[in-house]
Amino acid sequence: VTGRLSPLQQRLNWVETHPGREWVLALENVPQWDTWPVLPTAPPDPLVWTYSNSRGTHELITRVCERERATGRIVESASVLITHGAMFALGVIFRHLNALGFRTLLCQAPVLGSIHELASASGLRPTLTSVEDMIQVLDGPLEGATVAVYVNTPHNPTGSVLDQALVDALVTRVGQRNVALVVDSVYDGFNFSPDAAPRFPVGTPGVFLVNSMSKNYGAPGLRVGWILADPRSVAELTARLEYETIAVSGVSQHLAAELIRHGNGPLVDRVSGGRRLIVDWWAGFDDDRPVVAEGGTQAWVPVPDSAADSDFTDLLMHAFGLVLVGSESYAGVTGSYVRVPLGCPVDHLRHVLDVLEKSFARAAVSVGRSDIR
Ligand SMILES: Cc1ncc(COP(=O)(O)O)c(C=O)c1O
């Protein structure tokens, strides 16, 4: 147990306790609404006064099914479990898999540091691999073991989208061996690829899809997400959710249902505009590594060699007042990167890029180090 907050949360705390300074905040990759959608202010009775059903409200489950069907997934109501966001959904699935005897989690690298920690804390040993090597690793050293696989598409932080051939190869192994597949789809509303999104056989035993309101609808404060799985696994996961937390807030579920009905078009447009802006900006650097891939809500920007340093994001914060995260927030990153959120107001994004550009130019100059990690 590290007992340590994530770099993101540490930085947030630092900023909150140092209000005298003008910080340029670019920590979260949650797309921001220009104008918040109008949601009901008074939740209908009796949502505040009763527990919701442990699997979720009928209203939200129905809305999730409609939303998923609109993305081409055939989803029955019995395949849906409403959760407190995707992070909690992953925790419930990891603990469930551990209880079933799974001990290894083969993760697509890089992986968010907190998901890596969550896997370990759930009794699954995270093993990192690139997507290119995933099948080879699964068929090689791990063959015969009870292995869960974690993939994230579109991927945080790189934005890459899994190709159908890899998905099919993974699904085949779920059918034939002791393999479970956990698909983190929290950015699936932000896939800018002209090709069809990868298809997963929802409802197949051993396949678990995780989704959330946080990024797809710009509403992390609701703390609402969902799992799609086969009905038997949903029933088992619901029993676990009940003894761990009883049920998700009915008020949040009602707001989530309204927000799904409203849609997320403006957020997708904003991220799309942010992608164009950063690609133009990056063209001014002599570096042919891409900063965006097919999807996601952020760019993954390589720090030029002249400035690269393992503590580069600390330096950005303390020397330039620019608060964001980078390589240190992920497991399995090679090299120094910063994560630039693309779903913020365009003037803010321009400002972030200006400061970043100055920092790249001046970072070679030695600056005092901070005492926070
Ligand atoms: C890949 C990935 N999965 C899960 C989550 C957690 O989402 P939620 O806010 O729904 O718990 C995040 C949030 O950053 C994420 O990037």
Side-chain angles (χ1 to χ4, degrees):
V1 179
T2 63
R4 219 174 28 216
L5 291 170
S6 69
L8 185 151
Q9 198 62 234
Q10 288 184 46
R11 290 193 177 125
L12 263 182
N13 289 347
W14 182 273
V15 167
E16 274 178 23
T17 51
H18 294 77
R21 181 148 184 203
E22 258 185 45
W23 300 107
V24 182
L25 287 178
L27 269 175
E28 290 288 358
N29 63 348
V30 173
Q32 296 167 25
W33 292 91
D34 196 17
T35 316
W36 288 325
V38 179
L39 296 175
T41 44
D45 284 340
L47 292 181
V48 172
W49 319 111
T50 54
Y51 287 113
S52 285
N53 184 289
S54 296
R55 194 157 71 79
T57 63
H58 176 70
E59 179 193 28
L60 181 55
I61 290 176
T62 307
R63 198 71 77 214
V64 164
C65 287
E66 287 165 8
R67 188 252 182 212
E68 294 291 340
R69 283 182 202 135
T71 70
R73 295 180 188 133
I74 302 156
V75 177
E76 299 309 321
S77 152
S79 290
V80 183
L81 169 61
I82 304 298
T83 65
H84 297 288
M87 205 58 159
F88 181 78
L90 290 172
V92 174
I93 294 170
F94 292 168
R95 293 188 287 281
H96 172 67
L97 292 174
N98 178 256
L100 292 178
F102 287 83
R103 293 292 176 266
T104 301
L105 186 70
L106 183 62
C107 296
Q108 168 186 8
V111 61
L112 203 59
S114 39
I115 293 176
H116 191 268
E117 279 203 37
L118 176 62
S120 303
S122 310
L124 300 177
R125 191 166 42 83
T127 304
L128 303 177
T129 176
S130 65
V131 273
E132 292 78 23
D133 293 341
M134 189 164 259
I135 294 298
Q136 210 185 336
V137 175
L138 203 49
D139 289 350
L142 295 177
E143 167 98 64
T146 312
V147 183
V149 177
Y150 168 82
V151 290
N152 172 212
T153 180
H155 181 241
N156 175 10
T158 64
S160 65
V161 169
L162 288 188
D163 65 51
Q164 192 65 46
L166 175 64
V167 171
D168 293 345
L170 289 170
V171 170
T172 306
R173 281 150 184 87
V174 172
Q176 292 170 350
R177 304 217 314 252
N178 288 333
V179 172
L181 176 59
V182 182
V183 184
D184 187 334
S185 316
V186 298
Y187 301 95
D188 70 352
F190 303 94
N191 183 348
F192 301 97
S193 165
D195 303 331
R199 289 177 311 283
F200 295 91
V202 177
T204 300
V207 176
F208 301 84
L209 260 85
V210 169
N211 215 326
S212 155
M213 299 301 295
S214 299
K215 314 293 158 82
N216 277 328
Y217 294 88
L222 287 179
R223 306 311 302 132
V224 170
W226 59 93
I227 295 170
L228 304 180
D230 64 291
R232 185 175 157 183
S233 297
V234 166
E236 290 168 0
L237 289 164
T238 305
R240 176 174 291 276
L241 185 144
E242 185 190 5
Y243 63 65
E244 290 192 4
T245 180
I246 304 182
V248 175
S249 152
V251 177
S252 280
Q253 293 189 65
H254 179 58
L255 297 178
E258 291 287 316
L259 195 46
I260 292 178
R261 195 156 60 93
H262 180 279
N264 66 351
L267 294 181
V268 177
D269 292 346
R270 185 167 251 187
V271 172
S272 173
R275 285 166 63 86
R276 286 193 295 275
L277 186 67
I278 200 160
V279 166
D280 288 349
W281 172 81
W282 186 243
F285 292 81
D286 185 22
D287 193 326
D288 54 12
R289 287 174 288 179
V291 288
V292 293
E294 300 95 322
T297 59
Q298 73 274 316
W300 190 230
V301 179
V303 176
D305 288 344
S306 56
D309 183 297
S310 59
D311 291 335
F312 186 69
T313 43
D314 273 357
L315 185 143
L316 274 181
M317 179 162 170
H318 293 286
F320 300 92
L322 177 57
V323 194
L324 38 65
V325 295
S327 307
E328 79 295 337
S329 291
Y330 295 84
V333 182
T334 327
S336 183
Y337 289 80
V338 290
R339 183 179 85 175
V340 178
L342 300 176
C344 53
V346 68
D347 288 346
H348 185 69
L349 179 54
R350 282 206 182 94
H351 187 40
V352 167
L353 296 180
D354 281 350
V355 180
L356 195 56
E357 190 162 345
K358 284 194 190 96
S359 76
F360 283 169
R362 283 177 40 205
V365 179
S366 133
V367 199
R369 292 277 168 220
S370 69
D371 56 358
I372 76 161
R373 204 172 48 88

PDB file of all heavy atoms in Angstrom, residues 331-350:
ATOM      1  N   ALA A 331       1.851   4.139 -15.811  1.00  0.00           N
ATOM      2  CA  ALA A 331       2.832   3.061 -15.713  1.00  0.00           C
ATOM      3  C   ALA A 331       3.141   2.598 -17.132  1.00  0.00           C
ATOM      4  O   ALA A 331       2.237   2.533 -17.978  1.00  0.00           O
ATOM      5  CB  ALA A 331       2.256   1.919 -14.890  1.00  0.00           C
ATOM      6  N   GLY A 332       4.415   2.318 -17.378  1.00  0.00           N
ATOM      7  CA  GLY A 332       4.791   1.751 -18.673  1.00  0.00           C
ATOM      8  C   GLY A 332       5.054   2.779 -19.759  1.00  0.00           C
ATOM      9  O   GLY A 332       4.930   2.468 -20.937  1.00  0.00           O
ATOM     10  N   VAL A 333       5.423   4.011 -19.378  1.00  0.00           N
ATOM     11  CA  VAL A 333       5.779   5.023 -20.393  1.00  0.00           C
ATOM     12  C   VAL A 333       7.279   5.015 -20.589  1.00  0.00           C
ATOM     13  O   VAL A 333       8.031   4.976 -19.627  1.00  0.00           O
ATOM     14  CB  VAL A 333       5.393   6.449 -19.927  1.00  0.00           C
ATOM     15  CG1 VAL A 333       5.723   7.474 -21.006  1.00  0.00           C
ATOM     16  CG2 VAL A 333       3.940   6.525 -19.558  1.00  0.00           C
ATOM     17  N   THR A 334       7.704   5.050 -21.841  1.00  0.00           N
ATOM     18  CA  THR A 334       9.121   5.257 -22.104  1.00  0.00           C
ATOM     19  C   THR A 334       9.253   6.670 -22.632  1.00  0.00           C
ATOM     20  O   THR A 334       8.575   7.037 -23.596  1.00  0.00           O
ATOM     21  CB  THR A 334       9.619   4.281 -23.193  1.00  0.00           C
ATOM     22  OG1 THR A 334       8.896   3.067 -23.062  1.00  0.00           O
ATOM     23  CG2 THR A 334      11.088   4.019 -23.090  1.00  0.00           C
ATOM     24  N   GLY A 335      10.081   7.466 -22.000  1.00  0.00           N
ATOM     25  CA  GLY A 335      10.286   8.838 -22.463  1.00  0.00           C
ATOM     26  C   GLY A 335       9.468   9.827 -21.657  1.00  0.00           C
ATOM     27  O   GLY A 335       8.672   9.454 -20.796  1.00  0.00           O
ATOM     28  N   SER A 336       9.696  11.082 -21.971  1.00  0.00           N
ATOM     29  CA  SER A 336       9.065  12.160 -21.215  1.00  0.00           C
ATOM     30  C   SER A 336       7.959  12.803 -22.064  1.00  0.00           C
ATOM     31  O   SER A 336       8.200  13.268 -23.170  1.00  0.00           O
ATOM     32  CB  SER A 336      10.151  13.181 -20.860  1.00  0.00           C
ATOM     33  OG  SER A 336       9.633  14.201 -20.078  1.00  0.00           O
ATOM     34  N   TYR A 337       6.733  12.804 -21.524  1.00  0.00           N
ATOM     35  CA  TYR A 337       5.567  13.345 -22.237  1.00  0.00           C
ATOM     36  C   TYR A 337       4.755  14.229 -21.304  1.00  0.00           C
ATOM     37  O   TYR A 337       4.787  14.040 -20.083  1.00  0.00           O
ATOM     38  CB  TYR A 337       4.632  12.215 -22.702  1.00  0.00           C
ATOM     39  CG  TYR A 337       5.180  11.382 -23.823  1.00  0.00           C
ATOM     40  CD1 TYR A 337       6.096  10.372 -23.573  1.00  0.00           C
ATOM     41  CD2 TYR A 337       4.781  11.595 -25.143  1.00  0.00           C
ATOM     42  CE1 TYR A 337       6.613   9.597 -24.603  1.00  0.00           C
ATOM     43  CE2 TYR A 337       5.283  10.827 -26.175  1.00  0.00           C
ATOM     44  CZ  TYR A 337       6.199   9.839 -25.900  1.00  0.00           C
ATOM     45  OH  TYR A 337       6.708   9.072 -26.921  1.00  0.00           O
ATOM     46  N   VAL A 338       4.011  15.154 -21.898  1.00  0.00           N
ATOM     47  CA  VAL A 338       3.001  15.868 -21.127  1.00  0.00           C
ATOM     48  C   VAL A 338       1.652  15.648 -21.785  1.00  0.00           C
ATOM     49  O   VAL A 338       1.557  15.474 -22.999  1.00  0.00           O
ATOM     50  CB  VAL A 338       3.293  17.384 -21.003  1.00  0.00           C
ATOM     51  CG1 VAL A 338       4.483  17.640 -20.110  1.00  0.00           C
ATOM     52  CG2 VAL A 338       3.484  18.031 -22.357  1.00  0.00           C
ATOM     53  N   ARG A 339       0.607  15.661 -20.955  1.00  0.00           N
ATOM     54  CA  ARG A 339      -0.753  15.428 -21.458  1.00  0.00           C
ATOM     55  C   ARG A 339      -1.485  16.769 -21.543  1.00  0.00           C
ATOM     56  O   ARG A 339      -1.616  17.458 -20.530  1.00  0.00           O
ATOM     57  CB  ARG A 339      -1.479  14.496 -20.494  1.00  0.00           C
ATOM     58  CG  ARG A 339      -2.877  14.145 -20.959  1.00  0.00           C
ATOM     59  CD  ARG A 339      -3.543  13.219 -19.998  1.00  0.00           C
ATOM     60  NE  ARG A 339      -4.181  13.941 -18.899  1.00  0.00           N
ATOM     61  CZ  ARG A 339      -4.928  13.356 -17.969  1.00  0.00           C
ATOM     62  NH1 ARG A 339      -5.103  12.038 -17.974  1.00  0.00           N
ATOM     63  NH2 ARG A 339      -5.480  14.062 -17.010  1.00  0.00           N
ATOM     64  N   VAL A 340      -1.912  17.094 -22.746  1.00  0.00           N
ATOM     65  CA  VAL A 340      -2.611  18.380 -22.940  1.00  0.00           C
ATOM     66  C   VAL A 340      -4.092  18.106 -23.213  1.00  0.00           C
ATOM     67  O   VAL A 340      -4.442  17.504 -24.233  1.00  0.00           O
ATOM     68  CB  VAL A 340      -1.993  19.174 -24.114  1.00  0.00           C
ATOM     69  CG1 VAL A 340      -2.753  20.479 -24.324  1.00  0.00           C
ATOM     70  CG2 VAL A 340      -0.514  19.439 -23.863  1.00  0.00           C
ATOM     71  N   PRO A 341      -4.978  18.560 -22.314  1.00  0.00           N
ATOM     72  CA  PRO A 341      -6.412  18.348 -22.529  1.00  0.00           C
ATOM     73  C   PRO A 341      -6.900  19.204 -23.697  1.00  0.00           C
ATOM     74  O   PRO A 341      -6.544  20.377 -23.797  1.00  0.00           O
ATOM     75  CB  PRO A 341      -7.057  18.836 -21.225  1.00  0.00           C
ATOM     76  CG  PRO A 341      -5.943  19.103 -20.278  1.00  0.00           C
ATOM     77  CD  PRO A 341      -4.696  19.274 -21.061  1.00  0.00           C
ATOM     78  N   LEU A 342      -7.719  18.620 -24.553  1.00  0.00           N
ATOM     79  CA  LEU A 342      -8.150  19.326 -25.773  1.00  0.00           C
ATOM     80  C   LEU A 342      -9.583  19.832 -25.694  1.00  0.00           C
ATOM     81  O   LEU A 342     -10.035  20.538 -26.591  1.00  0.00           O
ATOM     82  CB  LEU A 342      -8.007  18.389 -26.976  1.00  0.00           C
ATOM     83  CG  LEU A 342      -6.575  17.887 -27.216  1.00  0.00           C
ATOM     84  CD1 LEU A 342      -6.552  16.892 -28.365  1.00  0.00           C
ATOM     85  CD2 LEU A 342      -5.633  19.048 -27.480  1.00  0.00           C
ATOM     86  N   GLY A 343     -10.294  19.491 -24.641  1.00  0.00           N
ATOM     87  CA  GLY A 343     -11.711  19.867 -24.565  1.00  0.00           C
ATOM     88  C   GLY A 343     -11.958  21.091 -23.711  1.00  0.00           C
ATOM     89  O   GLY A 343     -13.029  21.249 -23.148  1.00  0.00           O
ATOM     90  N   CYS A 344     -10.949  21.977 -23.623  1.00  0.00           N
ATOM     91  CA  CYS A 344     -11.154  23.204 -22.837  1.00  0.00           C
ATOM     92  C   CYS A 344     -11.440  24.363 -23.802  1.00  0.00           C
ATOM     93  O   CYS A 344     -11.261  24.220 -25.020  1.00  0.00           O
ATOM     94  CB  CYS A 344      -9.944  23.486 -21.960  1.00  0.00           C
ATOM     95  SG  CYS A 344      -8.404  23.529 -22.855  1.00  0.00           S
ATOM     96  N   PRO A 345     -11.874  25.533 -23.306  1.00  0.00           N
ATOM     97  CA  PRO A 345     -12.125  26.661 -24.205  1.00  0.00           C
ATOM     98  C   PRO A 345     -10.870  26.968 -25.033  1.00  0.00           C
ATOM     99  O   PRO A 345      -9.747  26.863 -24.536  1.00  0.00           O
ATOM    100  CB  PRO A 345     -12.446  27.813 -23.235  1.00  0.00           C
ATOM    101  CG  PRO A 345     -12.943  27.131 -22.000  1.00  0.00           C
ATOM    102  CD  PRO A 345     -12.201  25.836 -21.910  1.00  0.00           C
ATOM    103  N   VAL A 346     -11.089  27.369 -26.284  1.00  0.00           N
ATOM    104  CA  VAL A 346      -9.968  27.484 -27.217  1.00  0.00           C
ATOM    105  C   VAL A 346      -8.934  28.512 -26.747  1.00  0.00           C
ATOM    106  O   VAL A 346      -7.711  28.296 -26.903  1.00  0.00           O
ATOM    107  CB  VAL A 346     -10.491  27.743 -28.648  1.00  0.00           C
ATOM    108  CG1 VAL A 346     -11.115  29.104 -28.782  1.00  0.00           C
ATOM    109  CG2 VAL A 346      -9.423  27.526 -29.684  1.00  0.00           C
ATOM    110  N   ASP A 347      -9.375  29.613 -26.123  1.00  0.00           N
ATOM    111  CA  ASP A 347      -8.407  30.617 -25.647  1.00  0.00           C
ATOM    112  C   ASP A 347      -7.526  30.030 -24.548  1.00  0.00           C
ATOM    113  O   ASP A 347      -6.328  30.325 -24.471  1.00  0.00           O
ATOM    114  CB  ASP A 347      -9.133  31.855 -25.091  1.00  0.00           C
ATOM    115  CG  ASP A 347      -9.751  32.650 -26.222  1.00  0.00           C
ATOM    116  OD1 ASP A 347      -9.386  32.388 -27.392  1.00  0.00           O
ATOM    117  OD2 ASP A 347     -10.613  33.510 -25.935  1.00  0.00           O
ATOM    118  N   HIS A 348      -8.137  29.220 -23.733  1.00  0.00           N
ATOM    119  CA  HIS A 348      -7.356  28.596 -22.659  1.00  0.00           C
ATOM    120  C   HIS A 348      -6.329  27.627 -23.251  1.00  0.00           C
ATOM    121  O   HIS A 348      -5.163  27.621 -22.848  1.00  0.00           O
ATOM    122  CB  HIS A 348      -8.285  27.876 -21.683  1.00  0.00           C
ATOM    123  CG  HIS A 348      -7.563  27.319 -20.486  1.00  0.00           C
ATOM    124  ND1 HIS A 348      -7.004  28.114 -19.515  1.00  0.00           N
ATOM    125  CD2 HIS A 348      -7.257  26.037 -20.137  1.00  0.00           C
ATOM    126  CE1 HIS A 348      -6.409  27.360 -18.603  1.00  0.00           C
ATOM    127  NE2 HIS A 348      -6.543  26.083 -18.957  1.00  0.00           N
ATOM    128  N   LEU A 349      -6.779  26.847 -24.242  1.00  0.00           N
ATOM    129  CA  LEU A 349      -5.856  25.892 -24.864  1.00  0.00           C
ATOM    130  C   LEU A 349      -4.685  26.647 -25.516  1.00  0.00           C
ATOM    131  O   LEU A 349      -3.519  26.241 -25.385  1.00  0.00           O
ATOM    132  CB  LEU A 349      -6.605  25.030 -25.888  1.00  0.00           C
ATOM    133  CG  LEU A 349      -5.778  23.992 -26.637  1.00  0.00           C
ATOM    134  CD1 LEU A 349      -5.028  23.069 -25.679  1.00  0.00           C
ATOM    135  CD2 LEU A 349      -6.663  23.153 -27.565  1.00  0.00           C
ATOM    136  N   ARG A 350      -4.985  27.753 -26.184  1.00  0.00           N
ATOM    137  CA  ARG A 350      -3.906  28.552 -26.798  1.00  0.00           C
ATOM    138  C   ARG A 350      -2.909  29.005 -25.731  1.00  0.00           C
ATOM    139  O   ARG A 350      -1.698  28.941 -25.933  1.00  0.00           O
ATOM    140  CB  ARG A 350      -4.481  29.794 -27.490  1.00  0.00           C
ATOM    141  CG  ARG A 350      -5.106  29.489 -28.816  1.00  0.00           C
ATOM    142  CD  ARG A 350      -5.094  30.709 -29.753  1.00  0.00           C
ATOM    143  NE  ARG A 350      -5.758  30.330 -30.980  1.00  0.00           N
ATOM    144  CZ  ARG A 350      -7.052  30.535 -31.223  1.00  0.00           C
ATOM    145  NH1 ARG A 350      -7.802  31.167 -30.349  1.00  0.00           N
ATOM    146  NH2 ARG A 350      -7.594  30.128 -32.359  1.00  0.00           N
TER     147      ARG A 350
END
